[in-house]
Amino acid sequence: MKTAIRIDSHQHFWQYNKQEFDWLDVSMAPLQRDFLPTDLKPSLETQKMDGCVAVQARQTYEETLWLLSLADQYPWIKGVVGWIDLRANDLADQLNELKKYTALKGFRHVLQGEAEPEFMLAKDFLAGLQMIAERGYCYDILVTQDQLPEVIKLVDRLPIMPLVIDHLAKPLIKEGRHSMSGKTAWHDWCHHMDSLSQLEHVHCKLSGMVTEADWQSWTAEQLFPYFEKVIDCFGPERVMFGSDWPVCQVAASYQQVVSLTECALEALCPESKNQIMGSNASKFYSL
């Protein structure tokens, strides 16, 4: 009997320097160092992962090329989600240069870091997304919960292309669903995720939850409703596991993140566990 494929759809590698990783502040001091494939491989092996998708952490073309070089060196890096300036005048030329890299599956921009909410709706940005769609690439949407109204507008203006919401759009888990502000945040997040899930080409990653909760005191019970909501609205066929390693390590070990996800899946949709832990990512990214 063939063993189900297991893929971590979301993790990062980086060579740390203070200038380019200023988002790693003092609260994330343990992450202020290099994180390379040799650091991740033991965890993948322990959790019986067949491979991973390396996602950009810096917004430089050079990092995209570096990640692709790692994929060439380590075959278990099954795919790369890189960065490219979607507004660049020479975008077509850059994409032609990248065409030779079969490990390149898609792109991402750190939209959560843009001060202007309408940034993602600018004509030049939309034109860039249109161009990568025409070339068959996927796109990872990295936003916070408060940006979801703009995301809904964005998706409505894009062609039908493979899209995935990273980290559940970073809901305000730390607020708690039972506080006054937490109830409002939960209601708004559910409403917007329901809207996005109506489009069959939009997917969602079960990733990043532990770092949106209280790093020291999160519980599986606190996170369970978020698992349940995403699986309920997107369906188990459009949801995929991602560890968000090494960022997750400020709140949980790699093993804890995998165990948390698998326990939730066993309770919510045991028949779809293999899909969510691997085959969905394999299909989405054409690994």
Side-chain angles (χ1 to χ4, degrees):
M1 183 177 176
K2 187 177 179 181
T3 306
I5 189 169
R6 287 168 65 84
I7 298 290
D8 182 344
S9 75
H10 197 105
Q11 51 78 215
H12 308 284
F13 299 118
W14 62 65
Q15 293 173 302
Y16 177 74
N17 67 72
K18 188 173 183 179
Q19 291 70 37
E20 293 182 300
F21 290 87
D22 56 354
W23 56 277
L24 295 175
D25 59 22
V26 65
S27 70
M28 306 176 89
L31 302 183
Q32 294 174 348
R33 66 174 182 84
D34 293 355
F35 285 92
L36 301 171
T38 50
D39 298 306
L40 176 61
K41 190 62 162 63
S43 294
L44 291 180
E45 290 178 342
T46 299
Q47 300 304 314
K48 297 181 169 55
M49 292 289 168
D50 296 292
C52 62
V53 176
V55 179
Q56 64 84 218
R58 293 183 302 145
Q59 299 197 141
T60 68
Y61 187 76
E62 291 71 27
E63 189 205 46
T64 300
L65 295 177
W66 178 67
L67 291 174
L68 290 167
S69 74
L70 294 181
D72 282 342
Q73 187 177 353
Y74 301 95
W76 47 268
I77 302 175
K78 303 290 187 182
V80 168
V81 174
W83 182 87
I84 197 167
D85 185 355
L86 294 173
R87 302 166 297 169
N89 292 329
D90 65 342
L91 177 60
D93 294 335
Q94 292 183 58
L95 290 171
N96 287 337
E97 179 184 344
L98 292 170
K99 186 165 58 176
K100 62 188 175 184
Y101 295 103
T102 57
L104 182 62
K105 304 302 180 181
F107 297 95
R108 186 178 82 157
H109 186 88
V110 185
L111 292 171
Q112 71 170 40
E114 296 294 341
E116 175 52 59
E118 299 283 310
F119 175 93
M120 68 183 82
L121 302 176
K123 287 183 179 180
D124 52 359
F125 192 78
L126 288 168
L129 285 169
Q130 175 80 40
M131 191 176 293
I132 67 170
E134 290 168 353
R135 294 173 185 239
Y137 290 113
C138 308
Y139 191 71
D140 274 53
I141 300 174
L142 175 62
V143 293
T144 55
Q145 171 177 330
D146 62 306
Q147 292 173 295
L148 284 174
E150 285 73 38
V151 173
I152 292 169
K153 295 177 187 176
L154 171 68
V155 173
D156 186 56
R157 298 177 191 183
L158 291 178
I160 295 176
M161 63 183 292
L163 300 170
V164 62
I165 307 295
D166 288 350
H167 312 326
L168 291 70
K170 298 198 166 186
L172 301 177
I173 299 173
K174 192 174 180 179
E175 292 272 332
R177 292 189 306 120
H178 303 298
S179 68
M180 187 171 296
S181 60
K183 284 180 181 178
T184 300
W186 166 259
H187 174 80
D188 290 348
W189 176 77
C190 288
H191 171 71
H192 292 132
M193 295 298 271
D194 281 335
S195 296
L196 285 168
S197 69
Q198 298 306 305
L199 301 168
E200 293 187 0
H201 60 288
V202 180
H203 300 65
C204 187
K205 288 184 182 180
L206 292 175
S207 60
M209 280 184 273
V210 293
T211 48
E212 294 309 308
D214 187 288
W215 297 353
Q216 279 74 47
S217 63
W218 65 267
T219 64
E221 291 74 22
Q222 180 190 22
L223 301 179
F224 186 89
Y226 295 90
F227 282 104
E228 186 174 31
K229 179 60 186 177
V230 167
I231 293 169
D232 179 59
C233 65
F234 284 89
E237 68 281 354
R238 288 190 286 141
V239 176
M240 62 189 85
F241 163 75
S243 69
D244 198 26
W245 181 95
V247 182
C248 68
Q249 293 185 141
V250 298
S253 68
Y254 193 95
Q255 181 178 350
Q256 283 178 302
V257 173
V258 173
S259 177
L260 169 71
T261 305
E262 291 188 318
C263 287
L265 298 181
E266 285 288 352
L268 292 168
C269 55
E271 71 287 349
S272 302
K273 179 181 172 183
N274 291 339
Q275 270 185 282
I276 294 170
M277 293 303 297
S279 61
N280 285 347
S282 183
K283 182 178 179 181
F284 180 85
Y285 286 116
S286 300
L287 303 181

